[in-house]
Amino acid sequence: MRCLAHSNTSNSATARSLTAAPGRLFIKRSCCGFGAHLIRVRGHSLHQPVQLKRRDQCHTGIHLSQIASTARAASGLAASTSQAELLQRKVSHILVKPDQEHILDEVEERLAGGEDFRMLAGELSECRGSRMQGGDIGWIQRGQTAPMFEQAAFEADIGELVRAETQFGLHLIRVQAERQQVGIRQMSVSELAEILQDPERLSQVQLVDVREEVEERVASVPEFRLKPLSRMRDWGRTVTRELDPFKHTILMCHHGMRSQQAAEYLQSLGFAQLSNLEGGIHAYSLKIDPAVPMY
């Protein structure tokens, strides 16, 4: 069964297809576990508030949604960007077939009895990829999911269980957090140099080099850990455990293009404070440290 969360995307999309322009294409981790999706963000009008019933049914299926804790990201949003478009929620879900509403009834009863959502997702969900992650999909924003799924996820109260529906089946959705998406900052090489020379500031950031291993052997900057963009599908599965999503993350590549792509991917996984090194290691060598070889 195909999962609803990215209904207009292809599982074969990769970071090489990514651009960083406003109204951009960006990489979103697949909730089905088959890789990353390429998503185009388009402008869309704000939906009028709709009062959701606890069970909201139509011809395609039924969803059960749970909204949990709230966490706001830092401010600094562009004035021209809609607050609704920038609002994100972190969600997980349980997917069942359209004729299995009784399973959602059972899920409600077992949750009320104190059972764990992640365990129930692993036991009951039809979505193979997210089932392996306890039903976790990640951060979503308006325009990325099927309309009824989006409505349920964004209009339910925090902590509320609701049901909605899509053409893919019946879903139990748990929204774990809410935040305003923050743009990716462009960092100058001079600012990076200041950070590298200040132990206190250096302790407050994590540095990621997304170039290839062969490039790192030619030229490198101290303190950066290597995570090649070409292997993003591999390290993306564990990056939220290896790096702190709430710590300032600075990304570097050769000229700043691949690192921008990686930054947008990390943003889709919930990283809250991201900077892209403008001009990459080439600019760092040219303007800061000529001892770093240029290539």
Side-chain angles (χ1 to χ4, degrees):
M1 181 177 291
R2 184 185 175 194
C3 181
L4 90 162
H6 306 299
S7 58
N8 295 319
T9 59
S10 167
N11 286 335
S12 63
T14 68
R16 292 186 179 88
S17 304
L18 187 62
T19 68
R24 64 191 185 281
L25 298 174
F26 67 97
I27 292 294
K28 180 70 172 72
R29 180 184 57 182
S30 168
C31 68
C32 299
F34 299 120
H37 291 307
L38 179 65
I39 300 172
R40 182 183 301 276
V41 179
R42 295 185 173 92
H44 55 276
S45 59
L46 182 63
H47 297 294
Q48 293 295 323
V50 176
Q51 182 63 43
L52 292 178
K53 296 180 181 179
R54 193 172 191 283
R55 297 186 183 184
D56 185 19
Q57 182 174 5
C58 72
H59 67 285
T60 53
I62 302 164
H63 302 262
L64 175 65
S65 304
Q66 179 181 6
I67 312 298
S69 61
T70 300
R72 296 283 182 183
S75 60
L77 305 173
S80 61
T81 306
S82 165
Q83 295 291 313
E85 291 176 10
L86 290 171
L87 182 67
Q88 296 181 324
R89 285 188 167 183
K90 189 175 189 295
V91 301
S92 55
H93 77 147
I94 294 173
L95 174 65
V96 299
K97 295 176 181 178
D99 60 351
Q100 294 180 329
E101 183 180 1
H102 64 281
I103 293 181
L104 297 189
D105 294 334
E106 176 188 342
V107 167
E108 276 195 313
E109 294 175 1
R110 293 172 68 175
L111 287 171
E115 292 195 44
D116 181 68
F117 185 95
R118 292 177 58 86
M119 296 296 293
L120 291 173
E123 175 186 343
L124 300 171
S125 182
E126 296 282 340
C127 179
R128 291 175 295 170
S130 66
R131 178 179 64 203
M132 297 172 63
Q133 306 298 324
D136 182 51
I137 294 174
W139 290 93
I140 64 169
Q141 60 195 46
R142 292 186 184 273
Q144 291 182 349
T145 63
M148 292 299 291
F149 185 92
E150 174 184 297
Q151 182 177 346
F154 281 90
E155 295 180 359
D157 294 331
I158 301 300
E160 181 184 6
L161 287 173
V162 294
R163 294 190 184 189
E165 52 198 316
T166 72
Q167 64 269 37
F168 303 107
L170 320 180
H171 301 255
L172 164 72
I173 309 161
R174 181 177 65 169
V175 179
Q176 299 166 293
E178 179 182 284
R179 69 179 187 182
Q180 293 290 341
Q181 181 180 353
V182 180
I184 296 165
R185 180 171 173 267
Q186 299 302 308
M187 175 177 286
S188 69
V189 291
S190 59
E191 183 177 353
L192 173 63
E194 293 174 0
I195 291 173
L196 292 174
Q197 294 169 8
D198 185 338
E200 182 177 354
R201 292 182 66 186
L202 185 60
S203 69
Q204 297 171 0
V205 301
Q206 48 198 1
L207 308 176
V208 179
D209 182 352
V210 300
R211 297 174 303 144
E212 300 303 311
E213 292 177 356
V214 64
E215 294 178 275
E216 187 196 35
R217 288 196 291 269
V218 173
S220 62
V221 176
E223 307 298 337
F224 276 83
R225 66 177 74 185
L226 187 68
K227 290 191 175 295
L229 186 69
S230 64
R231 299 212 302 269
M232 187 172 68
R233 289 183 62 179
D234 297 326
W235 56 255
R237 298 188 183 100
T238 59
V239 69
T240 55
R241 297 191 294 272
E242 296 174 357
L243 299 176
D244 183 351
F246 298 100
K247 194 173 184 179
H248 185 188
T249 305
I250 303 170
L251 295 106
M252 177 186 73
C253 67
H254 193 192
H255 291 288
M257 297 177 64
R258 284 173 288 172
S259 51
Q260 177 72 21
Q261 296 172 14
E264 296 202 10
Y265 175 67
L266 292 180
Q267 185 179 62
S268 76
L269 297 182
F271 282 71
Q273 189 178 4
L274 293 156
S275 292
N276 178 45
L277 185 64
E278 195 170 20
I281 195 171
H282 178 84
Y284 185 85
S285 175
L286 187 66
K287 299 178 181 180
I288 302 299
D289 187 359
V292 175
M294 297 180 67
Y295 63 98

